[in-house]
Amino acid sequence: MTVVHPHGLSAPTLTDAEIAGIAASFVDARRGATALADFPGPLPADLATAYAIQAAAIAGWGDEVAGWKVARVPPALEERLGAMRYIGPVFARGIRRFDGGDLSFPVIPGGFGAVEAEFAVQVAADAPADKLDYSPAEAGAFIGAVHAAIEVAGGPLAPVNDLGPTAATSVFGNNTALIVGERVPTDDEGGGTAGADALRAEVLIDGQSVGVGSTAKLPGGIAAALAVALGTAARVGRPLKAGQWVSTGALTGVHAIAIGQSARVCFTGFAPMSGIAVAAMPAE
Ligand SMILES: C=C/C=C(\O)C(=O)O
């Protein structure tokens, strides 16, 4: 497996052989839809090493990166990791448009699966490769549209959430899929987020409410999350492209879901998005 050191980050603290071995384990497990009971090598101590593993796994997976998920670093770990958020790839084959019908949420048996109510931004313009830091105001210029969305989080690594953000970043960012729902109207049909900020989201699992929330749960709001995606994607050598999607973080929490359970994700005034968690199939 090819290992490259992302040019915009500090040098990884694991060897190239360790990075390649861990990435290969993640690619094999995802391809075979088989679970991993533990991290398949030394757990990275820092996000730069986790991104090097993620980059090798992306290269080994072989699908187009069509967007990124942005996730929170738990506040207690922010200082040690030097970040409030991390990102992970959303692959082209993992993006689905909600058409009003029943959904399915793939979960690897024995792995980890979760659903999250999120807003997904469609990127308005190609980002420059050499700009590595963005303010939320600068990021706002890249917002083409905002849609209600569901992140299907998870993957093969069962204890991913206990192991923390370096594990989640390494294992494809702990993302399985992104379901893009209705577009949120804005006054100018451009890049404003006021329409999204006014909405409330709720997630129900097996008919029971497990969380309510809004963009008030996103520190700095949608534009701040997008700023992290813009900067970090450039740092790992994959600057955002027009048309890509960025899911901007959990509005109501990370809601674990087991195969056979149902989830319903509701945004104020929008048609609910409902589906069942199903066993992920091995990739062809
Ligand atoms: C399991 C993933 C976590 C997120 O997606 C988040 O914090 O938004």
Side-chain angles (χ1 to χ4, degrees):
M1 188 144 295
T2 314
V3 173
V4 288
H5 297 183
H7 71 281
L9 298 168
S10 47
T13 51
L14 296 179
T15 66
D16 284 3
E18 288 169 324
I19 290 167
I22 294 165
S25 297
F26 289 146
V27 171
D28 290 349
R30 185 168 172 145
R31 188 159 284 138
T34 52
L36 294 167
D38 211 343
F39 198 85
L43 182 66
D46 55 273
L47 284 174
T49 306
Y51 282 120
I53 295 169
Q54 185 191 98
I58 290 172
W61 182 246
D63 191 8
E64 178 196 348
V65 175
W68 296 89
K69 59 95 56 93
V70 181
R72 277 299 297 275
V73 169
L77 297 176
E78 283 177 8
E79 191 173 335
R80 180 160 71 74
L81 294 177
M84 285 179 70
R85 291 173 160 106
Y86 64 90
I87 69 168
V90 181
F91 292 106
R93 288 199 293 268
I95 295 185
R96 276 168 283 160
R97 299 299 288 254
F98 174 63
D99 62 4
D102 290 339
L103 298 166
S104 58
F105 311 117
V107 175
I108 293 178
F112 175 72
V115 291
E116 299 168 36
E118 304 214 6
F119 287 112
V121 168
Q122 191 159 38
V123 177
D126 289 355
D130 59 351
K131 181 168 168 58
L132 306 183
D133 293 290
Y134 288 80
S135 68
E138 289 171 327
F142 287 86
I143 299 177
V146 180
H147 289 243
I150 302 175
E151 183 192 348
V152 186
L157 184 59
V160 61
N161 286 341
D162 298 331
L163 295 174
T166 65
T169 301
S170 301
V171 60
F172 294 106
N174 201 15
N175 173 267
T176 296
L178 177 67
I179 297 159
V180 178
E182 289 178 59
R183 181 172 177 167
V184 180
T186 55
D187 289 346
D188 56 3
E189 286 302 318
T193 63
D197 293 338
L199 298 184
R200 172 182 173 276
E202 181 172 22
V203 177
L204 297 91
I205 303 280
D206 284 346
Q208 299 294 312
S209 179
V210 291
V212 293
S214 69
T215 57
K217 294 262 173 72
L218 306 178
I222 288 172
L226 182 62
V228 172
L230 281 157
T232 312
R235 285 175 186 275
V236 300
R238 293 179 179 274
L240 296 189
K241 301 282 179 216
Q244 287 186 329
W245 293 97
V246 175
S247 66
T248 54
L251 301 171
T252 69
V254 179
H255 308 296
I257 190 166
I259 293 166
Q261 286 190 301
S262 69
R264 189 173 179 83
V265 178
C266 309
F267 285 82
T268 327
F270 287 13
M273 298 184 274
S274 302
I276 304 279
V278 299
M281 302 300 288
E284 287 150 17

